[in-house]
Structures are given as structure tokens and as C-alpha cells.
Amino acid sequence: MERLKNEFLAELEESLANHQEKVSILEEYAAHLDEFLGCLPALVDEDEMRDQIYSKLGTPKEIAAMWKEELSVTPSNMKWLFVAVNVLFFGGGATLTLAHNLFDWYWLTYFWDRLTSFPIVIAFIYMFFWALLGYEIGRGFGHNGRKLLKRTFVLALIPNIILMILTVFQIIPHKWFYPLLTQTFIGLCILFTLLLYPVCLISYKWGKKASV
């Protein structure tokens, strides 16, 4: 098993050439190999082991090609994409809230009433967005995406903080959010905000694992 592992890592090292994350990648795949080979029955022959490794992890050339392709994905683009989507969420919500309070349109009132009838659903849909953020960064950037995740999280959270400040100091009238803005919903929003980064981090680790 050890010889097979060393051959795999040597071929992977050669295929990675001068990749800037070569050392970290080799360490990561060495750990994956130890875990995978440790689960195989002792009677499995070497050729079968090799086939199972290639089936599970891919060949060294395929892995190297994947990591080289990863370098072509621009972290800045990924970061600003999620920031823009979060701003779009808030912009759409602000436009809907403003229109509902300024215009006496029956269809808009009906839509608002239906939408605000299920605040927990809104919260979970929004939580899914943050989970997707972590997963996509983990899947797209692997172990190198942790700093990107933190930067993206902080920037994307700015609209949330601004809305909380405007609401707490009643710069935005509470009645505008009726019937959403109850004590229960405010408490729920605070709880979900505290959970955002743990959700992002768990999803990031899941995405990183899926990239292997």
C-alpha cells in the first residue's frame, strides 16, 4: 500500500510541475490516500487498489489538470458575484417594501401579504444563499479559498448590518415591515445572522471535499 501511495504522489508531484500550491495539494492527497487505503481489505491486489484509487480520486494527471484549471478562476470575480447577489436581494426587498407602502395596488398588497405570511421560509431561503456561497468557494478554490470566504462574507454582510442599524434606530419606520417586524422575527433574524458564518464554513468544507 505504501509503495502504491508513493507512486501516486510522485506522479502527482511531477504533473503539478510548478503549481504554486504543490506542497499543500500533495499533503492533502497524502491524507486522502491514507484514509482511502486504510479502508480497503488487506487481500485486495495492487492493480485493483490502483483502479479503485483512480475511480475515487482520479488519476494524478486528472487531479493536476483540475488544480491548474482552478488557477484560471478569478477569486475577485467570485467574491463580487456573491456580494452583488446579496445586494440584489436587499435591493429587491427594499423596492418591494417601498412600493407596498407608497402605492395602493391590490396585486402588490396581495403579494406582500402572501410573502410575509411565511417569514421562516424567507429566512431559510436566505440561509441557503449563504450556504451556497461557502459551498461554491470550497468547490472552486479548495483549501486555498478560506481567506476568500472570509473576505466575501464580510463584504456581503454589510447590507445586513446597515439594515439592522436603520431598523433599530427607526430610521426606517417599523410599520413599513408590518406584519414581519415582530419580536419573534427580530430574534429569529439575530439568531440567523449569528449562524451565517458557521453555515458558510460548514458548506465551504463540504464544497472542498466535493472538489476532491
Side-chain angles (χ1 to χ4, degrees):
M1 286 189 181
E2 193 66 26
R3 186 168 70 86
L4 190 60
K5 170 188 170 183
N6 291 337
E7 286 179 359
F8 185 95
L9 292 175
E11 186 178 348
L12 178 57
E13 182 177 10
E14 182 181 354
S15 299
L16 286 169
N18 296 320
H19 194 288
Q20 62 188 36
E21 299 292 334
K22 180 193 285 188
V23 175
S24 299
I25 295 169
L26 290 172
E27 289 176 353
E28 184 173 331
Y29 277 88
H32 286 309
L33 286 167
D34 286 336
E35 180 182 353
F36 182 69
L37 291 172
C39 296
L40 292 178
L43 297 178
V44 177
D45 63 52
E46 191 172 280
D47 288 338
E48 187 176 347
M49 284 185 185
R50 184 179 289 104
D51 289 342
Q52 290 195 37
I53 290 172
Y54 288 170
S55 175
K56 175 69 174 178
L57 302 179
T59 67
K61 291 188 186 320
E62 289 172 344
I63 294 170
M66 177 189 71
W67 282 96
K68 288 175 182 177
E69 182 181 354
E70 181 182 296
L71 290 178
S72 65
V73 181
T74 307
S76 180
N77 289 346
M78 176 73 79
K79 176 179 67 181
W80 290 114
L81 172 63
F82 278 102
V83 170
V85 171
N86 194 45
V87 170
L88 185 63
F89 276 145
F90 274 82
T95 301
L96 177 62
T97 302
L98 190 63
H100 167 68
N101 285 279
L102 295 181
F103 303 109
D104 190 21
W105 294 338
Y106 171 77
W107 66 269
L108 185 58
T109 301
Y110 178 83
F111 179 71
W112 176 266
D113 290 342
R114 299 285 77 74
L115 185 65
T116 55
S117 297
F118 305 99
I120 189 67
V121 175
I122 298 173
F124 274 111
I125 290 174
Y126 189 59
M127 186 70 77
F128 174 76
F129 161 76
W130 288 90
L132 182 63
L133 183 153
Y135 178 81
E136 286 298 324
I137 291 178
R139 188 171 67 90
F141 297 93
H143 67 280
N144 203 35
R146 186 70 175 264
K147 291 182 180 178
L148 174 63
L149 176 66
K150 290 181 180 179
R151 290 196 300 268
T152 306
F153 178 83
V154 171
L155 285 172
L157 195 65
I158 290 174
N160 302 52
I161 303 301
I162 292 174
L163 179 62
M164 283 187 180
I165 293 173
L166 293 177
T167 304
V168 168
F169 290 98
Q170 297 194 33
I171 297 172
I172 298 177
H174 286 188
K175 64 181 181 179
W176 279 24
F177 295 99
Y178 180 84
L180 272 181
L181 209 59
T182 62
Q183 288 186 344
T184 301
F185 186 70
I186 291 173
L188 187 66
C189 287
I190 294 172
L191 174 63
F192 272 73
T193 301
L194 293 174
L195 290 175
L196 288 181
Y197 189 70
V199 166
C200 280
L201 193 57
I202 292 170
S203 301
Y204 162 75
K205 292 180 178 179
W206 181 23
K208 186 173 71 170
K209 188 174 182 179
S211 71
V212 177

